Amino acid sequence: MHSSYSRFAHAGLPSLLLFALLTAPLSGFAQTVATYTGTDGSYANPANWDIGVVPLNSGGNRYSAAIGADQDWINFDPAAGAHELSGLSIGTDTTFTLNSGRNLSVLGSFTSAGGLLVSGPGTAFDFTGPGPIQLDGASIMVESGAHATIASAGPAHELVVDQADPTQNRGLHLLATDTGSLLDLDGFHSIETRNGAGLRIDAERAATTTLGQLTVLSASDLWVSSLNASEAGTIHLPSLSAIQGTHFFTASTGGTLATASTADPRTLTIAGTSSTTFRAEDAGSRIDFSSIDTFALEAAELSLFAERDGTVAFPDLAASVNSTGRRIAHHAYDGGTIELPVLTAIDGEHSFTAGTGGIITAGVVDPVTPRILTLTGPGSGSFRAMDHDSVVDLSAIDVLLAANNGCLFHSTATGSVLLDGLQTSAMVEEGVVSLVADGGTITLSSLANAIGAHYVSTFNGGRISLTPGSGATRSLTLTNANTADGFRDSFTADGAGSVTDLSCIESIEHIGLSAWYRGNEGGLVDLSRLKRSVGPDSGTPVSLRADDAGGLLLGELQTIGLHRLRATGAGSIIAARSLDLGPGTALELVAGAVLHLSGSFRFAATEEHAFSPLEGTIAFTGSGTFEVGGLDAGAADPGNDGNFGFGRLIVGAVGAPANVALVDLVDNGNRTGPEALYLHGTGGLTGLSLLDGSELCLNRLPVYVAQPDGTWLHLNSLFAGGVVRIPYDGGYLRLTPAVGYADWSTLLGLPTGQDAPGDDPNRDGTNNLLCYAFGLNPLATAPVTDGTGAGLPRIRVVGPQLEVTFSDDSNRPDATLVVESSTDLVNWDACGDTVIAAAGTMQIRQSTIALSGQPRLFARVRATLIAP
């Protein structure tokens, strides 16, 4: 009977058809109720029955066996083989035992408030009758390779577990244990407990419990139901789609609690006022709910735990919806793993937390199809790697869309949050996307666009990195339409060892609100490849800061729009290869703060009150040029107020001499003559130090240095007639630039092997000869001239003419510049030019070439180095 039922059920025959097949043989026969009255525990002893006959169906006889309460053990001990009963009733505190290869099929009703034990290979118990079935207070155990089928062929296919007295804490316990044991509950579509009755379903020691058609599992508000797979046991729930009440789903010691993968994904609805927990407790344990594509949490509370190397997997879960105001909590720790490989939508409050060694993963990166993670509803997401070696791996996510209060990514200790595939992060409504590494690590190696407010911060030695391991560079666009000042973008590092690594970023464009970049109290913000930062034209400037011994690394940076560059507090350091600060950039260096430069420094500010480095130090650790912009008020009036000036200038370092040339390429205040450099001194030290043979070329620009006694020294006055180079401090002062290409390349300290005219040390496409001829620094990115200062030639069409504008440094007597034009890029003709502007040794020259009658026209500026 058992094997026949299994074949029918798995072939998919309707329950009503099965009911007909099972009940047809019963028609036309009377049924006798036999009551057990014996005391020796033997079922096969006729003397133990009130009818004097062992109740077993045979021939035309049909029996229903009734075994009362408190009978202890009743052994089903007829001869081994198959037997039938029309009905079976087991009383409270009585255990009915089948073993030794005996099979019993109950064809009609089954009632138990006691125990049923089915034990041993070949032993089987089948109840597939129409009912009624009542298992209040019952326990059913299948062990040692036995099989049991407990089902109802009635139209409701429902198992209700009830109790009259809610204080008794009785219910139903269903257990399969030992290898080969099978508890088949596939006939039930729903199981419900009432009035405080409990439900426990177990599979342990490689046994299997199946609930193949169960769609609804409902628990009493007064008690709980639990499903436990342990010691390599398995519980199958392939159809479960609704849970109500308090439930615990547990896999332990290698157990598996799983649904089946199907072609028709479904929603798992969790309702009621209580909670549901999924827990995989240790190594090899797995909860695997395939084909669940949506969580729908209604009023209830849901928690998922993967611990001690256990796994909780929802391989088809695409959406998780929480409409309760309570949290769906995911916990992985002690090596546990939660797998959510296709999750793309989170609605309502969720938390994902990885503890020590725990892993929460969003799956494998798809290089072809972008994957979007959408977070909606208040407090919709927090992702935390909270302890040693914990990992929240969201590398498969390409786009993050967050709304309503934003979301949080948080790592502590040596925990890691991986967002390496994330290219766009968008806060689409009011709120903030927060990324906080409090001692842990967060990686975003692909991020290129951040829309809305983002708070990116490291603490206590934490690290946030946007830098891929390949060393590739990219641009970053920050867009924020929210006008509230509290929602600006922020990139900070607080505390010794803390690093916010943005070193792969070459360009940042700020659209809408500005951003804040801040290294504080030993923390470091690394923008060491940043070449271009575009800030707003009005409102709050972009803030680039090093505070209280913090650090900020910059590249060959050019600023456009509003910026504020600040180093505040003793020990604060800003380090850059070179700086080209636009007219909207303010600079502040306080006492004890240092701006380190390995290249050149240029600023275009014209408002002195926005430029206050009077107490700080600028230290050139490499060769370059230094823009001066102060009004020459003489030594008697240094212009502490309302004039451009600096605290200290240090050129070179011990064992590393440098050469710096002063330039006046920008009119920083509509001066009538050459602009001047004032070095006010700080900390009781003189305003200028030249270390280990370093050289400062004054370029005939006036320089005034404060002395410790309060007087001012005019450096230009130290040169006797005809003398252009004198010793000073630990190096040399030069009044005029060295003449010739060779002297120029030496002055700038060009790298050995990269100092020939055709070399390009920084690989920006402008070789040394062009930089020399146009008055540029070959170690910094060459700008195009705007017609007022040094730069590469600008060629454009103006009306009927082709206009070529270029700079010419008269300190380069061995270099010639000639404008040439061509119609075929083969034959070139020289064109004349005129001087249209001049500042110091720099001239701006222009050539105009008529376009009329020319089908096409090309122009170039050819630089030639004259041999000495």
Side-chain angles (χ1 to χ4, degrees):
M1 189 66 183
H2 174 78
S3 59
S4 174
Y5 169 70
S6 296
R7 285 198 298 273
F8 287 150
H10 294 157
L13 289 179
S15 297
L16 290 178
L17 175 59
L18 181 60
F19 170 72
L21 290 172
L22 293 172
T23 57
L26 300 180
S27 62
F29 296 98
Q31 183 179 136
T32 301
V33 176
T35 302
Y36 188 88
T37 58
T39 59
D40 63 5
S42 173
Y43 187 98
N45 183 356
N48 288 335
W49 297 95
D50 65 343
I51 61 174
V53 175
V54 178
L56 291 172
N57 291 354
S58 62
N61 299 313
R62 295 289 180 263
Y63 294 98
S64 180
I67 303 173
D70 302 316
Q71 293 290 328
D72 200 13
W73 290 87
I74 305 298
N75 294 308
F76 186 74
D77 51 359
H83 303 278
E84 290 183 353
L85 279 172
S86 297
L88 175 64
S89 174
I90 304 171
T92 304
D93 296 327
T94 295
T95 299
F96 184 73
T97 303
L98 278 75
N99 56 29
S100 302
R102 294 174 175 86
N103 297 324
L104 175 62
S105 297
V106 178
L107 306 180
S109 64
F110 178 36
T111 301
S112 178
L116 171 64
L117 173 62
V118 186
S119 180
T123 305
F125 177 86
D126 290 292
F127 169 70
T128 55
I133 181 171
Q134 184 173 334
L135 300 177
D136 303 340
S139 66
I140 298 174
M141 183 168 72
V142 184
E143 68 177 15
S144 303
H147 288 193
T149 300
I150 311 295
S152 172
H157 305 288
E158 179 183 36
L159 175 62
V160 176
V161 184
D162 205 343
Q163 63 178 3
D165 183 356
T167 65
Q168 293 180 356
N169 292 333
R170 298 178 64 85
L172 172 63
H173 185 196
L174 304 171
L175 169 65
T177 182
D178 303 326
T179 302
S181 298
L182 173 65
L183 176 55
D184 183 347
L185 305 173
D186 286 347
F188 295 111
H189 289 193
S190 68
I191 299 178
E192 179 184 0
T193 64
R194 298 175 180 172
N195 292 317
L199 172 67
R200 178 167 178 166
I201 302 174
D202 292 301
E204 63 185 27
R205 296 201 291 273
T208 301
T209 297
T210 65
L211 295 123
Q213 299 186 72
L214 185 70
T215 59
V216 179
L217 183 60
S218 178
S220 166
D221 290 337
L222 301 177
W223 201 240
V224 301
S225 73
S226 63
L227 292 86
N228 310 282
S230 63
E231 299 178 88
T234 302
I235 297 178
H236 290 292
L237 294 154
S239 304
L240 187 65
S241 59
I243 299 172
Q244 178 156 350
T246 300
H247 301 268
F248 292 96
F249 296 80
T250 304
S252 61
T253 54
T256 301
L257 199 153
T259 65
S261 181
T262 66
D264 185 18
R266 64 189 181 280
T267 297
L268 178 59
T269 301
I270 303 174
T273 58
S274 299
S275 63
T276 292
T277 300
F278 296 94
R279 185 185 299 271
E281 291 188 335
D282 40 35
S285 301
R286 186 174 181 87
I287 293 179
D288 189 340
F289 270 42
S290 300
S291 296
I292 300 297
D293 68 347
T294 305
F295 265 147
L297 193 67
E298 300 174 357
E301 188 173 286
L302 174 62
S303 299
L304 295 85
F305 292 89
E307 54 195 359
R308 296 188 295 278
D309 298 318
T311 300
V312 175
F314 284 82
D316 300 308
L317 186 69
S320 184
V321 180
N322 179 4
S323 58
T324 70
R326 303 165 76 180
R327 178 174 296 180
I328 296 180
H330 308 70
H331 305 271
Y333 56 94
D334 291 340
T337 301
I338 294 179
E339 299 174 357
L340 303 161
V342 298
L343 184 64
T344 56
I346 296 173
D347 187 0
E349 189 170 2
H350 291 66
S351 68
F352 303 82
T353 304
T356 301
I359 299 173
I360 296 177
T361 176
V364 179
V365 175
D366 184 342
V368 178
T369 305
R371 183 168 163 194
I372 300 172
L373 177 60
T374 303
L375 306 175
T376 54
S380 53
S382 66
F383 303 84
R384 303 170 186 263
M386 298 303 292
D387 216 330
H388 296 285
D389 302 319
S390 57
V391 178
V392 175
D393 187 351
L394 305 175
S395 298
I397 304 301
D398 298 277
V399 178
L400 173 70
L401 301 178
N404 293 334
N405 300 329
C407 64
L408 170 67
F409 302 91
H410 189 191
S411 65
T412 64
T414 57
S416 299
V417 176
L418 308 181
L419 290 158
D420 293 297
L422 189 66
Q423 300 175 39
T424 298
S425 176
M427 184 66 241
V428 295
E429 294 182 20
E430 183 174 307
V432 179
V433 176
S434 297
L435 299 103
V436 179
D438 188 1
T441 301
I442 300 177
T443 58
L444 306 100
S445 58
S446 302
L447 187 65
N449 295 282
I451 302 169
H454 287 70
Y455 175 74
V456 181
S457 188
T458 59
F459 299 90
N460 299 322
R463 185 180 188 90
I464 294 178
S465 177
L466 273 72
T467 301
S470 64
T473 59
R474 64 180 179 276
S475 298
L476 177 62
T477 301
L478 304 177
T479 305
N480 193 348
N482 194 321
T483 57
D485 186 62
F487 289 95
R488 77 163 87 189
D489 290 299
S490 175
F491 300 83
T492 64
D494 286 277
S498 300
V499 178
T500 297
D501 184 356
L502 312 176
S503 60
C504 67
I505 304 301
E506 283 195 326
S507 174
I508 303 178
E509 184 170 5
H510 305 83
I511 301 174
L513 284 186
S514 65
W516 181 293
Y517 306 87
R518 179 175 182 252
N520 183 53
E521 294 184 351
L524 175 67
V525 175
D526 186 347
L527 285 158
S528 55
R529 294 191 191 180
L530 185 63
K531 294 183 177 181
R532 184 173 181 267
S533 177
V534 180
D537 295 326
S538 61
T540 305
V542 174
S543 180
L544 299 160
R545 300 183 56 148
D547 296 334
D548 299 327
L552 177 67
L553 302 184
L554 304 171
E556 299 169 354
L557 178 60
Q558 178 189 24
T559 61
I560 300 169
L562 297 180
H563 289 73
R564 192 174 185 187
L565 184 62
R566 304 180 66 194
T568 66
S572 298
I573 294 174
I574 298 176
R577 290 187 178 90
S578 61
L579 289 177
D580 183 356
L581 306 181
T585 299
L587 175 65
E588 178 183 352
L589 301 175
V590 304
V594 181
L595 171 60
H596 284 275
L597 294 164
S598 57
S600 296
F601 176 74
R602 178 182 180 185
F603 67 96
T606 57
E607 298 181 7
E608 289 88 343
H609 69 272
F611 217 74
S612 54
L614 299 181
E615 297 179 344
T617 298
I618 294 185
F620 280 83
T621 56
S623 298
T625 59
F626 184 16
E627 175 77 23
V628 300
L631 173 66
D632 187 0
D637 183 10
N640 288 322
D641 242 349
N643 198 5
F644 292 111
F646 299 84
R648 298 189 71 222
L649 171 62
I650 300 175
V651 180
V654 176
N659 298 299
V660 174
L662 303 183
V663 294
D664 182 14
L665 304 178
V666 179
D667 184 354
N668 295 102
N670 300 309
R671 317 298 188 197
T672 56
E675 293 176 320
L677 174 62
Y678 282 91
L679 300 172
H680 294 262
T682 181
L685 301 174
T686 182
L688 175 64
S689 291
L690 305 178
L691 302 178
D692 212 359
S694 296
E695 183 173 279
L696 175 66
C697 177
L698 306 186
N699 208 3
R700 295 192 182 276
L701 296 171
V703 180
Y704 302 94
V705 179
Q707 302 301 300
D709 62 3
T711 62
W712 287 86
L713 174 62
H714 184 205
L715 294 187
N716 307 65
S717 67
L718 300 179
F719 292 89
V723 177
V724 296
R725 188 172 188 265
I726 61 173
Y728 182 89
D729 192 34
Y732 300 91
L733 293 177
R734 179 181 283 275
L735 184 62
T736 59
V739 177
Y741 176 85
D743 291 330
W744 172 83
S745 62
T746 301
L747 174 69
L748 290 182
L750 296 183
T752 302
Q754 290 291 310
D755 54 356
D759 291 333
D760 184 7
N762 66 349
R763 295 181 175 84
D764 67 349
T766 307
N767 63 29
N768 291 337
L769 174 56
L770 294 175
C771 290
Y772 174 67
F774 293 129
L776 304 174
N777 181 2
L779 300 177
T781 301
V784 174
T785 184
D786 60 0
T788 64
L792 295 175
R794 182 183 66 188
I795 302 176
R796 61 180 181 172
V797 175
V798 180
Q801 300 178 112
L802 191 64
E803 181 184 277
V804 181
T805 306
F806 63 99
S807 60
D808 184 8
D809 192 341
S810 62
N811 274 329
R812 312 293 187 248
D814 54 344
T816 61
L817 295 171
V818 177
V819 179
E820 297 178 332
S821 65
S822 173
T823 59
D824 57 10
L825 294 177
V826 176
N827 301 298
W828 294 88
D829 298 318
C831 304
D833 61 76
T834 59
V835 177
I836 62 171
T841 62
M842 186 63 65
Q843 294 180 337
I844 305 299
R845 306 180 72 88
Q846 193 171 89
S847 177
T848 55
I849 308 166
L851 292 172
S852 59
Q854 303 289 351
R856 59 180 184 173
L857 188 65
F858 306 93
R860 71 183 183 186
V861 179
R862 179 164 58 87
T864 304
L865 187 64
I866 302 172

